Amino acid sequence: MKTLSVNNLKKVITKRPENSHKGTFGRAVLIGGNEQYGGAIIMSAQAAIYAGTGLVTVITDRKNHAPLHARLPEAMAVDWLDTELIDRVLKSADVILIGPGLGLGLISQHLLIHVLESQTDKQWLIIDGSAITLFAEKDYPLNNPEQTIFTPHQREWEALSGLPLKQQTDKANQTAREMLKASVVLKSHCTKIYTSKTIYKTPIGTAAMATGGMGDTLAGIITGFIAQFPAKEEALCAAVYLHSLIGEDLSKTQYVVLPTSISEQLPIYMKQFEEK
Amino acid sequence: MKTLSVNNLKKVITKRPENSHKGTFGRAVLIGGNEQYGGAIIMSAQAAIYAGTGLVTVITDRKNHAPLHARLPEAMAVDWLDTELIDRVLKSADVILIGPGLGLGLISQHLLIHVLESQTDKQWLIIDGSAITLFAEKDYPLNNPEQTIFTPHQREWEALSGLPLKQQTDKANQTAREMLKASVVLKSHCTKIYTSKTIYKTPIGTAAMATGGMGDTLAGIITGFIAQFPAKEEALCAAVYLHSLIGEDLSKTQYVVLPTSISEQLPIYMKQFEEK
Amino acid sequence: MKTLSVNNLKKVITKRPENSHKGTFGRAVLIGGNEQYGGAIIMSAQAAIYAGTGLVTVITDRKNHAPLHARLPEAMAVDWLDTELIDRVLKSADVILIGPGLGLGLISQHLLIHVLESQTDKQWLIIDGSAITLFAEKDYPLNNPEQTIFTPHQREWEALSGLPLKQQTDKANQTAREMLKASVVLKSHCTKIYTSKTIYKTPIGTAAMATGGMGDTLAGIITGFIAQFPAKEEALCAAVYLHSLIGEDLSKTQYVVLPTSISEQLPIYMKQFEEK
Amino acid sequence: MKTLSVNNLKKVITKRPENSHKGTFGRAVLIGGNEQYGGAIIMSAQAAIYAGTGLVTVITDRKNHAPLHARLPEAMAVDWLDTELIDRVLKSADVILIGPGLGLGLISQHLLIHVLESQTDKQWLIIDGSAITLFAEKDYPLNNPEQTIFTPHQREWEALSGLPLKQQTDKANQTAREMLKASVVLKSHCTKIYTSKTIYKTPIGTAAMATGGMGDTLAGIITGFIAQFPAKEEALCAAVYLHSLIGEDLSKTQYVVLPTSISEQLPIYMKQFEEK
């Protein structure tokens, strides 16, 4: 088991190449936000944009477009019923995040199936929130598990792995992960990352972060890091560590840390760890 | 009569347990915001979230969902006509706040009746604003008065207690409260709390806080404190005191204190009084 | 002619009475914002709220409700087609502002006529923007001209007074004003106020304030001051002076001063001039 | 070839004339923002307003009006289907920007054709984003090429000029520009401006600016500068330089520079270079 530290940030957050354009830093497509949970995908999108993703498109219930653009004009918006446009947008994606606020309805299921079936061998896929619940219910195959990341909290992992909370030991988790062949970010007060190489442990984190939307924000940061940095496993580790680091720092002056306040700090924190 | 002080904050605002998750800090459901008064429930939701509630769902007229999410992606939104979803959401609630911007229409009445009938013996219920007016008009029974809090201003208390403004003495108020069996937060330039144990008096507060939305914000803070802290009467006292304390502090540099500017200070103020 | 100064602020901005509530500081109703100009009435509302009005209701095209509440949950919103609710809301008003972004359409005309006909002898009325243009076209009578304020810029004053730009001397303006019997705030790079008593001159102001929405903001500040301070002519003078003062101060560090940035400063500036 | 510097800012950003009003600083009409790309035109509008344009009207898909006004009440909004109002608004424009988030659909094409056909000899026209793509596909004539500015990135310039990326030398670009007779801002990590007089080079800029919306923001700044400053070529140069200057400064503390954070700095930066 490896313990994450600021070194993981320094290794990953490289100086951007001068001769670059927005495409250089990745095209991310974020899918989620039903009638009830629109805020979740908005928080993911804010995290992805503030983490430096080149281009972010959000596929969501049309009712969420106005608040998305009121907060984030940097994002593009696609109606989650517009299958033709969804197809086109998915094809151009480098990273796809599905799940934040997605819900368990029929549209949500169809979107998940479509994403799972269309993932190419160049695309990374992050499966979060209700998409994990949906995935756990059915026996969906993964096109490209080596480039797939699940980000469950403990109950979602229970459904996905079949492991009751008490049996979620590192060994059992790693065995369950091997069946999936994907990477797993198991969120808790001490988040761990299970990959084909090893297990990573976040030594920081705080109960001040235990508030709705924190996971959606983490999923967005992961998306942004996978989108723009070439070493993907290292990028995943850096994203998870940075999320906890900012949360812990903010908790020194704030009793509860709002997810959106973590996103706002991303450009400043990333600069501090930029490799020179 | 007891006088509230910063000690009430220190006693209540404990260090969060490390091994916790968002559920640990309560599920709150906020009901209000009709066609005209959508801003009221948005202000309550902001207060509840910034006060540290684990999960906040807002049941409101659909037209209020977009501005709610534009300001507060951390909140979840439910159409106040979606009775099936309302049922499900209410069942999972630890605390229910009904009233801010609710209005007096038919939907509002149905929602109030439904909430009153469905309150379980585990749930706390806070009745504010137009829900008090509606409650005062009819002879509704309370399922669980010991876990119910009314937050009237003086005119609403007049309707609820039958006591004309001039007869609202502590003694008469306490007698009227005994009939209700609930707790009462009587808002004025010197807010008092009447409970089955005693009367609490807020020695602070300022006319700079006399502006629309201040009561909605107080109701949201109370909701957040009841949701996350175990000693409920103490939590109620702390919420009322903190609201006045922040308002008084801000009024030293601001002629009028906007309700939303109080909510923004909550995480910082709560940290300062966190018990070590 | 009198020249306005900070003394006008000190005289008007009194310490708020302790035993007060939101009603003490006035109920303002703001009418404007059609399909195209919704932002105008939102800016007026922000100014009125940040200036300390007790309660602000905005009557506007329904499409403007969501952005209004996204920026200003403190405001209440009424659909400008809901004649029944408009009636009720107008009756409870202490001050009515009509005009910002109102436009010249049929609904706008009907609203103006209704407001003019229903003004009681207790209500103050502020007529701004397109409402001035509409008023100038027809021969509408004023119910209560002594409690009416027009806030034209020079072209609108030309239409209202019949005075071509070059003939707008103080004497001619005052004569035209006498016909109206109302007060007139003539906006320019050196705004003047014509009342039945005298002419007031603003010695400050800056071209950095020459940007869309500045007049809407001024109208909102006037509304807030008339709503909450008892000496109405003095309140009008103070509002006009404060608007220019903040604008001039901000222009020392900003090439263009956005109207909304003036509103944000109102609570802080008002505190500085509060009479002790 | 001339290299841009802060001197270009000092020459252009003059002290505003005292006897001025919002009309003095230009009427800009911005056209863009379809169903998917609404954020783009919102970012352009923010840039144009914060750069000091007197009056900004945005013609866009109606679904973008609410988020536009939630962020920018200073802007006016016109439905991009309301041809009659579009006609009226276009006639009063000093500068027209078409393209940010416009898309390639039928409405977009019709708007572009209409704008191209109606450009008067007093109006400046800026063609950006998808409007360049549409323009490149057809053989549209320009009414007034000397008062037209194209702002392509390299791929759009490839379509417009017919020059493959590798053949985009200064000489070839200038020759292609001569065919158009318009000015060309060729966006890259080292943006250049091709005009009938010369070629200008921006010596600054940073990969931290390589994020979605940066071009929309540049287009808005150009619009604002052309709208308010009399020497148009110099204004164009100043706008391009200022955009890079702010971006570079912000990148010293931020790993990624959000487009909207550049706009927020405009009034402060412009003040610093104001000619005394």
Side-chain angles (χ1 to χ4, degrees):
Chain A
M1 172 141 43
K2 295 184 180 171
T3 302
L4 299 176
S5 76
V6 294
N7 287 331
N8 292 79
L9 299 178
K10 290 179 187 166
K11 247 187 303 181
V12 164
I13 304 174
T14 46
K15 192 165 163 44
R16 290 187 155 197
E18 267 199 28
N19 200 338
S20 58
H21 56 88
K22 56 193 174 187
T24 313
F25 305 110
R27 282 171 171 77
V29 172
L30 282 56
I31 308 171
N34 67 0
E35 169 89 14
Q36 184 178 0
Y37 302 127
I41 200 70
I42 294 175
M43 288 187 281
S44 297
Q46 182 169 359
I49 287 169
Y50 282 66
T53 314
L55 287 160
V56 172
T57 296
V58 179
I59 299 175
T60 186
D61 188 327
R62 205 171 187 276
K63 85 182 270 238
N64 302 320
H65 291 203
L68 172 70
H69 276 147
R71 293 185 66 87
L72 281 175
E74 291 87 355
M76 291 164 282
V78 170
D79 186 346
W80 75 345
L81 295 174
D82 187 345
T83 48
E84 201 188 309
L85 185 52
I86 289 172
D87 251 13
R88 241 185 304 145
V89 158
L90 281 179
K91 272 185 189 126
S92 74
D94 300 309
V95 193
I96 298 159
L97 164 64
I98 186 163
L102 184 69
L104 304 171
L106 265 181
I107 303 169
S108 310
Q109 289 179 45
H110 281 300
L111 281 167
L112 177 61
I113 293 169
H114 183 59
V115 162
L116 291 172
E117 286 176 348
S118 69
Q119 185 190 7
T120 69
D121 58 2
K122 290 188 178 157
Q123 291 178 327
W124 278 79
L125 174 60
I126 298 150
I127 302 178
D128 180 69
S130 14
I132 297 174
T133 309
L134 287 170
F135 186 93
E137 282 171 7
K138 301 280 169 68
D139 199 24
Y140 297 124
L142 286 173
N143 266 0
N144 196 352
E146 289 78 15
Q147 292 180 196
T148 301
I149 300 166
F150 289 91
T151 56
H153 56 55
Q154 293 168 313
R155 292 250 167 256
E156 288 160 351
W157 180 236
E158 182 171 331
L160 184 58
S161 67
L163 295 168
L165 219 72
K166 294 202 170 172
Q167 296 176 25
Q168 294 179 10
T169 62
D170 280 338
K171 203 179 156 190
N173 289 340
Q174 187 58 293
T175 307
R177 188 212 65 74
E178 276 160 20
M179 309 270 289
L180 289 165
K181 294 194 187 114
S183 298
V184 172
V185 177
L186 181 51
K187 298 180 285 191
S188 75
H189 63 288
C190 165
T191 294
K192 287 182 178 169
I193 307 170
Y194 300 85
T195 75
S196 61
K197 290 192 200 155
T198 188
I199 305 176
Y200 303 92
K201 186 184 152 181
T202 320
I204 51 174
T206 160
M209 295 171 76
T211 191
M214 203 45 94
D216 309 311
T217 295
L218 174 58
I221 301 177
I222 292 172
T223 304
F225 272 57
I226 296 286
Q228 78 193 284
F229 298 120
K232 302 305 179 187
E233 184 158 328
E234 287 73 11
L236 172 60
C237 290
V240 169
Y241 186 80
L242 183 57
H243 177 252
S244 292
L245 179 66
I246 298 177
E248 190 155 295
D249 279 3
L250 293 181
S251 79
K252 288 169 191 159
T253 53
Q254 299 177 22
Y255 186 75
V256 59
V257 174
L258 293 190
T260 47
S261 70
I262 289 187
S263 293
E264 286 162 12
Q265 296 297 321
L266 286 167
I268 296 160
Y269 268 76
M270 288 176 76
K271 187 69 188 182
Q272 290 167 8
F273 295 104
E274 185 188 35
E275 163 260 4
K276 301 282 149 50
Chain B
M1 171 139 43
K2 295 186 180 170
T3 302
L4 300 176
S5 75
V6 294
N7 288 331
N8 292 79
L9 299 178
K10 290 179 188 166
K11 247 186 304 181
V12 166
I13 304 173
T14 46
K15 192 164 164 44
R16 290 185 155 198
E18 267 199 28
N19 200 337
S20 58
H21 56 88
K22 56 194 174 187
T24 314
F25 305 110
R27 283 172 172 76
V29 172
L30 282 56
I31 307 172
N34 67 359
E35 168 90 13
Q36 183 178 0
Y37 302 127
I41 200 70
I42 293 175
M43 287 187 282
S44 298
Q46 183 169 0
I49 287 169
Y50 282 65
T53 314
L55 286 160
V56 172
T57 295
V58 179
I59 298 175
T60 186
D61 188 326
R62 205 171 187 277
K63 83 181 271 238
N64 303 320
H65 291 202
L68 172 70
H69 275 148
R71 293 185 67 87
L72 282 175
E74 290 87 357
M76 290 163 283
V78 170
D79 186 346
W80 75 345
L81 295 174
D82 186 345
T83 49
E84 202 188 308
L85 185 53
I86 290 172
D87 252 12
R88 242 186 302 146
V89 159
L90 281 178
K91 271 184 190 128
S92 74
D94 300 308
V95 193
I96 298 159
L97 163 65
I98 187 164
L102 184 70
L104 304 170
L106 265 181
I107 303 169
S108 310
Q109 289 179 45
H110 282 300
L111 282 167
L112 178 61
I113 293 169
H114 184 59
V115 162
L116 291 172
E117 285 175 349
S118 69
Q119 185 190 7
T120 69
D121 58 1
K122 291 189 177 157
Q123 291 179 326
W124 278 79
L125 175 60
I126 298 150
I127 302 179
D128 179 69
S130 14
I132 298 174
T133 308
L134 288 170
F135 186 93
E137 281 170 7
K138 303 278 169 72
D139 200 25
Y140 298 124
L142 286 173
N143 266 1
N144 196 353
E146 290 77 14
Q147 292 180 197
T148 301
I149 301 165
F150 289 91
T151 55
H153 56 55
Q154 293 168 313
R155 291 251 166 254
E156 288 160 351
W157 180 235
E158 183 172 331
L160 183 59
S161 67
L163 294 169
L165 219 71
K166 293 203 171 171
Q167 295 177 26
Q168 294 180 8
T169 62
D170 280 339
K171 203 178 155 190
N173 289 340
Q174 189 57 294
T175 308
R177 189 212 66 75
E178 277 160 20
M179 309 271 288
L180 288 165
K181 294 194 186 111
S183 299
V184 172
V185 176
L186 181 52
K187 297 180 288 192
S188 75
H189 62 288
C190 164
T191 294
K192 287 182 179 169
I193 307 170
Y194 299 85
T195 76
S196 61
K197 290 192 201 154
T198 187
I199 305 176
Y200 303 92
K201 185 185 153 181
T202 321
I204 51 174
T206 160
M209 294 170 75
T211 192
M214 203 45 94
D216 309 311
T217 295
L218 174 58
I221 301 177
I222 293 171
T223 304
F225 272 57
I226 296 287
Q228 79 193 283
F229 298 119
K232 301 305 180 188
E233 185 158 327
E234 286 74 10
L236 171 60
C237 291
V240 169
Y241 186 80
L242 182 57
H243 178 252
S244 291
L245 178 65
I246 298 177
E248 190 154 296
D249 279 2
L250 292 182
S251 77
K252 287 170 191 158
T253 53
Q254 299 177 22
Y255 186 75
V256 60
V257 174
L258 293 190
T260 47
S261 69
I262 289 187
S263 293
E264 286 162 12
Q265 296 298 320
L266 285 167
I268 296 160
Y269 267 77
M270 289 176 74
K271 187 69 189 180
Q272 290 167 9
F273 295 104
E274 185 187 36
E275 162 261 2
K276 300 283 148 51
Chain C
M1 172 141 42
K2 295 185 180 172
T3 301
L4 299 176
S5 75
V6 293
N7 288 331
N8 291 79
L9 299 178
K10 290 179 188 166
K11 247 186 305 179
V12 166
I13 304 173
T14 46
K15 193 165 162 46
R16 291 185 154 197
E18 268 199 28
N19 200 337
S20 58
H21 56 87
K22 55 194 175 187
T24 313
F25 305 109
R27 282 171 173 76
V29 173
L30 282 56
I31 308 171
N34 66 359
E35 168 89 14
Q36 184 178 0
Y37 302 127
I41 200 70
I42 293 175
M43 288 186 282
S44 298
Q46 183 169 359
I49 287 168
Y50 282 65
T53 315
L55 287 160
V56 171
T57 296
V58 179
I59 299 175
T60 186
D61 187 327
R62 205 171 188 277
K63 83 181 272 236
N64 303 319
H65 291 203
L68 172 70
H69 275 148
R71 293 185 67 87
L72 281 174
E74 290 87 355
M76 290 163 284
V78 171
D79 186 345
W80 75 345
L81 294 175
D82 186 345
T83 48
E84 202 188 308
L85 186 52
I86 289 172
D87 252 12
R88 242 186 302 145
V89 159
L90 281 179
K91 271 183 191 128
S92 75
D94 301 308
V95 192
I96 298 159
L97 164 64
I98 186 164
L102 184 69
L104 304 171
L106 266 180
I107 303 169
S108 310
Q109 290 179 44
H110 281 300
L111 282 167
L112 178 60
I113 293 169
H114 184 59
V115 162
L116 291 172
E117 285 176 349
S118 69
Q119 186 190 6
T120 69
D121 58 3
K122 290 187 179 160
Q123 292 178 327
W124 278 79
L125 175 59
I126 298 149
I127 303 178
D128 180 69
S130 15
I132 297 174
T133 308
L134 287 170
F135 186 92
E137 280 170 8
K138 301 279 170 70
D139 199 25
Y140 297 123
L142 286 173
N143 266 0
N144 196 353
E146 289 78 15
Q147 291 180 199
T148 301
I149 301 166
F150 289 91
T151 54
H153 55 56
Q154 293 168 313
R155 292 250 167 254
E156 287 161 351
W157 180 235
E158 183 172 329
L160 183 59
S161 67
L163 293 169
L165 220 72
K166 293 203 170 169
Q167 295 176 24
Q168 294 179 11
T169 62
D170 281 338
K171 204 180 155 190
N173 289 341
Q174 189 56 295
T175 307
R177 189 212 66 75
E178 276 160 21
M179 309 271 288
L180 289 165
K181 294 195 187 111
S183 298
V184 172
V185 177
L186 181 52
K187 298 180 285 191
S188 74
H189 62 288
C190 165
T191 294
K192 287 183 178 169
I193 307 170
Y194 299 86
T195 76
S196 61
K197 290 193 200 154
T198 188
I199 305 175
Y200 303 92
K201 185 184 152 181
T202 320
I204 51 173
T206 160
M209 295 169 76
T211 192
M214 203 45 93
D216 309 311
T217 296
L218 174 58
I221 301 177
I222 292 172
T223 303
F225 272 57
I226 296 287
Q228 79 192 284
F229 298 120
K232 302 304 180 190
E233 185 158 327
E234 286 73 11
L236 172 60
C237 290
V240 170
Y241 186 81
L242 183 57
H243 177 251
S244 292
L245 179 66
I246 298 177
E248 190 154 296
D249 279 2
L250 293 182
S251 78
K252 287 170 191 157
T253 52
Q254 299 177 22
Y255 186 75
V256 60
V257 174
L258 293 190
T260 46
S261 70
I262 289 187
S263 293
E264 287 162 13
Q265 296 297 319
L266 286 166
I268 296 160
Y269 267 77
M270 289 176 75
K271 186 68 187 181
Q272 290 168 8
F273 294 104
E274 185 188 36
E275 164 261 1
K276 301 282 149 52
Chain D
M1 173 141 44
K2 296 186 180 170
T3 302
L4 299 176
S5 76
V6 293
N7 287 331
N8 291 79
L9 299 178
K10 290 179 187 166
K11 248 186 304 182
V12 165
I13 303 173
T14 47
K15 192 164 163 44
R16 290 186 155 198
E18 267 198 30
N19 199 337
S20 58
H21 56 88
K22 56 193 173 187
T24 313
F25 304 110
R27 281 171 173 78
V29 173
L30 282 57
I31 308 171
N34 66 1
E35 168 89 14
Q36 184 178 1
Y37 301 127
I41 200 70
I42 293 175
M43 288 187 280
S44 297
Q46 182 169 0
I49 287 169
Y50 282 65
T53 314
L55 287 160
V56 172
T57 296
V58 179
I59 299 175
T60 185
D61 187 328
R62 205 171 187 276
K63 83 180 272 236
N64 303 320
H65 291 203
L68 172 70
H69 276 148
R71 293 185 67 85
L72 282 174
E74 291 87 355
M76 291 163 281
V78 171
D79 186 345
W80 74 346
L81 295 175
D82 187 344
T83 48
E84 202 187 308
L85 186 52
I86 290 172
D87 252 11
R88 241 185 303 146
V89 159
L90 281 178
K91 273 188 188 123
S92 75
D94 300 309
V95 193
I96 297 159
L97 164 64
I98 186 163
L102 184 68
L104 304 172
L106 265 181
I107 303 168
S108 309
Q109 290 179 44
H110 281 301
L111 282 166
L112 177 61
I113 293 168
H114 184 58
V115 163
L116 291 172
E117 284 176 349
S118 68
Q119 185 190 7
T120 69
D121 58 2
K122 291 189 179 156
Q123 291 178 328
W124 277 79
L125 175 59
I126 298 150
I127 302 178
D128 180 68
S130 14
I132 297 174
T133 309
L134 287 170
F135 186 92
E137 281 170 6
K138 301 279 169 71
D139 199 25
Y140 297 124
L142 286 173
N143 266 1
N144 196 353
E146 289 77 16
Q147 291 179 200
T148 300
I149 300 166
F150 288 92
T151 56
H153 55 55
Q154 293 168 312
R155 291 250 167 257
E156 288 160 351
W157 179 236
E158 183 172 329
L160 184 59
S161 67
L163 294 168
L165 219 73
K166 293 203 171 170
Q167 296 176 24
Q168 293 180 10
T169 63
D170 281 338
K171 204 179 155 190
N173 290 340
Q174 189 56 294
T175 307
R177 188 213 66 74
E178 276 161 21
M179 309 271 288
L180 288 165
K181 295 196 187 109
S183 297
V184 171
V185 176
L186 180 52
K187 297 181 287 192
S188 75
H189 63 287
C190 164
T191 294
K192 287 182 179 169
I193 308 170
Y194 300 85
T195 75
S196 61
K197 288 193 201 154
T198 187
I199 305 175
Y200 302 92
K201 186 184 152 182
T202 320
I204 52 174
T206 159
M209 295 170 75
T211 192
M214 204 44 93
D216 308 312
T217 295
L218 174 58
I221 302 177
I222 292 172
T223 304
F225 272 58
I226 295 286
Q228 79 192 284
F229 297 119
K232 301 305 179 188
E233 185 158 327
E234 286 74 12
L236 172 60
C237 290
V240 169
Y241 186 79
L242 183 56
H243 177 252
S244 291
L245 179 66
I246 298 177
E248 190 155 296
D249 279 3
L250 293 181
S251 78
K252 287 169 191 158
T253 53
Q254 299 177 22
Y255 187 74
V256 60
V257 174
L258 293 190
T260 47
S261 70
I262 289 187
S263 293
E264 286 163 13
Q265 296 298 320
L266 286 167
I268 295 160
Y269 267 77
M270 289 176 75
K271 187 67 188 182
Q272 290 168 8
F273 294 104
E274 186 188 34
E275 163 260 3
K276 301 281 149 51

